Amino acid sequence: MIENADRVVTLAGNGPVANAGWDDLGIIEHGSVAIAGETITAVGRAAAVREAVTVTGESCVIDARGRMVTPGFVDPHTHFLFAGNRAEEYGMRVEGVPYQKIREQGGGIRSTVRAFREATDDELADAGRARLSMMLRAGTTTVEGKSGYGLSMADEIRALRIIRKLGEEMPLSIVPTFLGAHDIPPEFDGDRAGYIDLLVHKMIPEASGLAVFCDVFCEQGYFDREESKRILLAGRDHGMIPKLHAEEFVPMGGGELAAEVGAVSADHLLVITDEGVAAMAKGGVIGVLLPGTTIGLASGRWADIEKFRRGGLPVALATDCNPGSSYTVSQAAVMSLACSLLKMTVPEAWAGVTRNAAAAIGLQERVGTLETGKNADCLVFSENHPAAVPYRFGQNLVDFVVRDGNLLPSFD
Ligand SMILES: [Zn+2]
């Protein structure tokens, strides 16, 4: 039982919401959340919840007076399993060194592919575990995690197996995504068709039992629209739901493609057109924005929130945790960027990291809101107002994390 919170921010209402306003936060003043086992059994005014449930000497009761209770953060787009980092590259980037030069000096995604292939299973699992622990402390209770730094049959399957193993062992839910189409590996330079054949005929069938989603980097210089379509449809034929990295640098019709293949989400969307947004809205595709890349790439560019408002498209937010373009584990930090850079409203940002984020990984029935019958994934914040989280940027205001009904050990 979490009781007497100044505010319980429920985000109640099934499914994603576009243009979220304060009413969509479903705030209950002086509220409580009752939990039995892994499930929420009552949410409401403190007095009503006390009356509805039996509290015994065995019950664990958190006094949330002066605090705020919210759903656990859902992070619907990460590449948390990687080896090494690219801090040096970031240093060069802020000094204005062009990407091509960084690549020539051994940087870029291929350096992470190299580090991944050289790392042992234990080294990769340790690195992943450390990042997941930090995510959990920062309030993330459900996270999507992609392969995509192995780019060979053996290494991609290895990545998915380690992601799944961490999901069994760690106290947070992990949803695995196959991203063999992250880049063309060096051994296939000059033979794109050869790698795409390998993906479609060998890697996707092998990955299908291990991943929920099949993702592709649909971008100029990576996979074009036709190639992306072929890969996503092959994934779909093998039971994996399509998901895309789309419209980050050059418009390629990624929004339309997402709708065409029945994708659950299309992510990045810095250069998407109004037509692309309309196609996504019509097709029920969630837009996932990753403003951490504005920091990691020091680009000064971000998505235009007005396009999504105009098109009535529900928008989610994610860290994109990865060593190249966005090395953060914090959805609270992402909310600060979303509000202050993109000018998303506070309710839009909250919907983006909870209810809409859950929909971006197909879990809206189970997580992302505080409602009776949902998974008991809750955060207790030291502040009592929803705006305080993006406002107090760079600080972790999470006092308690409850995941599947279990109070996680204190982080102090
Ligand atoms: Zn990504």
Side-chain angles (χ1 to χ4, degrees):
M1 170 88 113
I2 306 171
E3 67 176 1
N4 298 321
D6 282 9
R7 289 187 183 85
V8 177
V9 184
T10 65
L11 277 302
N14 264 323
V17 56
N19 300 311
W22 288 95
D23 284 350
D24 294 302
L25 293 185
I27 293 175
I28 299 166
E29 310 256 345
H30 196 66
S32 299
V33 180
I35 295 163
E38 300 179 348
T39 310
I40 296 172
T41 52
V43 186
R45 300 274 293 177
V49 173
R50 261 283 170 172
E51 237 165 62
V53 303
T54 316
V55 176
T56 68
E58 309 276 276
S59 306
C60 166
V61 179
I62 299 173
D63 182 9
R65 221 173 293 254
R67 296 175 160 125
M68 170 176 71
V69 182
T70 75
F73 289 141
V74 177
D75 190 347
H77 181 140
T78 86
H79 309 251
F80 75 81
L81 190 71
F82 59 86
N85 72 53
R86 282 149 55 192
E88 226 178 280
E89 204 174 294
Y90 175 75
M92 291 165 79
R93 199 154 39 231
V94 295
E95 288 174 20
V97 180
Y99 183 70
Q100 199 45 40
K101 191 147 186 220
I102 291 173
R103 245 184 120 143
E104 280 162 19
Q105 294 184 11
I109 182 176
R110 284 191 173 180
S111 66
T112 303
V113 171
R114 213 161 38 238
F116 186 99
R117 289 176 175 181
E118 283 166 9
T120 65
D121 288 7
D122 284 345
E123 286 165 348
L124 288 169
D126 286 348
R129 198 179 290 113
R131 287 176 205 121
L132 292 169
S133 298
M134 289 179 70
M135 285 183 179
L136 202 51
R137 281 164 186 249
T140 296
T141 48
T142 302
V143 61
E144 184 257 16
K146 304 176 197 292
S147 69
Y149 293 120
L151 305 186
S152 71
M153 178 78 156
D155 282 300
E156 284 296 296
I157 298 304
R158 190 159 79 100
L160 291 174
R161 286 193 197 287
I162 296 170
I163 290 169
R164 290 178 71 93
K165 179 173 155 269
L166 290 171
E168 284 157 22
E169 153 195 324
M170 301 278 298
L172 80 176
S173 309
I174 305 182
V175 182
T177 293
F178 173 65
L179 179 58
H182 198 183
D183 197 359
I184 303 284
E187 58 275 21
F188 281 87
D189 275 344
D191 182 19
R192 312 176 51 75
Y195 185 62
I196 295 168
D197 279 342
L198 179 70
L199 275 170
V200 168
H201 297 300
K202 299 266 172 56
M203 289 163 79
I204 285 176
E206 196 73 19
S208 68
L210 298 170
V212 176
F213 300 106
C214 178
D215 196 344
V216 58
F217 202 69
C218 178
E219 200 58 59
Q220 200 172 69
Y222 293 86
F223 297 88
D224 69 23
R225 186 166 161 176
E226 277 314 304
E227 292 166 344
S228 299
K229 183 175 168 181
R230 186 172 164 221
I231 293 160
L232 292 170
L233 290 179
R236 203 172 74 175
D237 284 346
H238 284 86
M240 291 186 282
I241 301 161
K243 221 176 199 319
L244 286 81
H245 286 68
E247 311 290 70
E248 184 179 4
F249 301 109
V250 179
M252 290 174 62
E256 289 87 341
L257 175 62
E260 189 184 340
V261 299
V264 68
S265 76
D267 308 14
H268 281 300
L269 311 180
L270 269 67
V271 296
I272 193 164
T273 60
D274 282 318
E275 292 71 29
V277 171
M280 286 174 66
K282 190 155 175 258
V285 185
I286 306 290
V288 180
L289 307 183
L290 312 166
T293 61
T294 306
I295 303 296
L297 296 175
S299 66
R301 300 168 60 245
W302 50 81
D304 176 5
I305 189 66
E306 279 303 332
K307 275 186 200 166
F308 309 109
R309 288 181 181 145
R310 271 200 304 273
L313 183 74
V315 166
L317 293 165
T319 61
D320 194 15
C321 178
N322 81 82
S325 61
S326 181
Y327 196 169
T328 181
V329 295
S330 167
Q331 281 286 61
V334 168
M335 289 173 82
S336 297
L337 297 174
C339 293
S340 294
L341 291 184
L342 278 69
K343 300 290 190 288
M344 282 173 74
T345 64
V346 168
E348 283 173 333
W350 270 103
V353 295
T354 57
R355 184 170 160 181
N356 291 0
I361 48 175
L363 291 180
Q364 63 272 27
E365 304 292 323
R366 285 172 43 203
V367 299
T369 68
L370 298 180
E371 290 173 280
T372 302
K374 288 241 175 140
N375 279 25
D377 294 352
C378 319
L379 307 178
V380 181
F381 284 89
S382 59
E383 286 275 1
N384 68 4
H385 195 280
V389 175
Y391 161 63
R392 291 186 60 183
F393 66 96
Q395 301 167 76
N396 186 5
L397 305 176
V398 176
D399 276 348
F400 300 102
V401 178
V402 175
R403 188 262 173 172
D404 269 356
N406 294 307
L407 175 63
L408 299 181
S410 169
F411 303 124
D412 298 331

